[in-house]
Amino acid sequence: MPVLIAPSVLASDFGNLERDCKMINNSKADWFHIDIMDGVFVPNISFGMSVLEAIQTHAKKPLDVHLMIVDPDRYIEKFHQLGAEVLTVHYEACDHLHRSIQQIKSLGMKAGVALNPHTPVSHLKDIILDIDLVCLMSVNPGFGGQSFIENTYSKTKELKGLIENSKSTCLIEIDGGVTDQNAAKLISCGADILVAGSHVFKSENPTEKISTLKSLG
Ligand code: DX5
Ligand code: ZN
């Protein structure tokens, strides 16, 4: 499968949201990555429902929604109504992860689980067959523009091994500090989806950066 590229809208220019959504539509990107932060699970607040509604009106590609919020079960249905096709909750934010996953899937969305950098891949052993995607955080969640954590390479390989051994069809997404300098190695370790925020939007030519990332896989 060719690598999927999911530009993170968090790094876009919110004053020109329509322009930046259209850039993603017209690029080689596969998904829109949407970061929802509540200021409790992570020390930052990004944007909420009404901004997602605005993004949805312009986006012509699947919305990959990453919830960095406590007690995400409260909002699963709402994010479904707002057009999420992939909905990812954090392992660290769910007391009853299996139930959260079942709720997401019962609404027809793909269910993802994100792991903070300190959370071991082995914690997913008993749920790997139930999930569609694992998002490995390659920075501590909460902010765009941080440096990539090198331990992510070995974590990606370990996760790939777990997926293959269990015959799961789960995809591996890498989120945080992804650039054209680490993308090829991440793909060779097993990454299926690359999220890229600053690397794309803070560049002179975001469309070209997306094409370059896409060409690496
Ligand atoms: C971090 C978010 C990321 C972030 C990535 O908490 O989950 O999706 O937007 O941004 P960059 O690519 O700038 O690290
Ligand atoms: Zn994210």
Side-chain angles (χ1 to χ4, degrees), residues 154-210:
S154 61
K155 219 169 160 179
T156 306
K157 280 191 212 158
E158 189 187 347
L159 175 58
K160 187 74 179 171
L162 173 65
I163 290 170
E164 285 176 352
N165 290 338
S166 56
K167 303 203 174 7
S168 154
T169 55
C170 184
L171 299 176
I172 302 177
E173 178 176 69
I174 310 295
D175 187 7
V178 172
T179 69
D180 53 14
Q181 299 303 300
N182 53 28
K185 189 167 173 187
L186 286 166
I187 295 163
S188 73
C189 291
D192 301 296
I193 306 147
L194 299 176
V195 174
S198 313
H199 180 68
V200 167
F201 285 102
K202 308 298 179 212
S203 78
E204 300 253 305
N205 190 337
T207 311
E208 202 175 277
K209 286 285 177 199
I210 293 169

Side-chain angles (χ1 to χ4, degrees), residues 33 35 66 68 175:
H33 185 80
D35 289 306
H66 175 194
M68 284 160 275
D175 187 7

Side-chain angles (χ1 to χ4, degrees), residues 9-20:
V9 177
L10 183 68
S12 71
D13 176 357
F14 293 164
N16 286 293
L17 199 50
E18 180 175 356
R19 180 200 66 190
D20 285 355

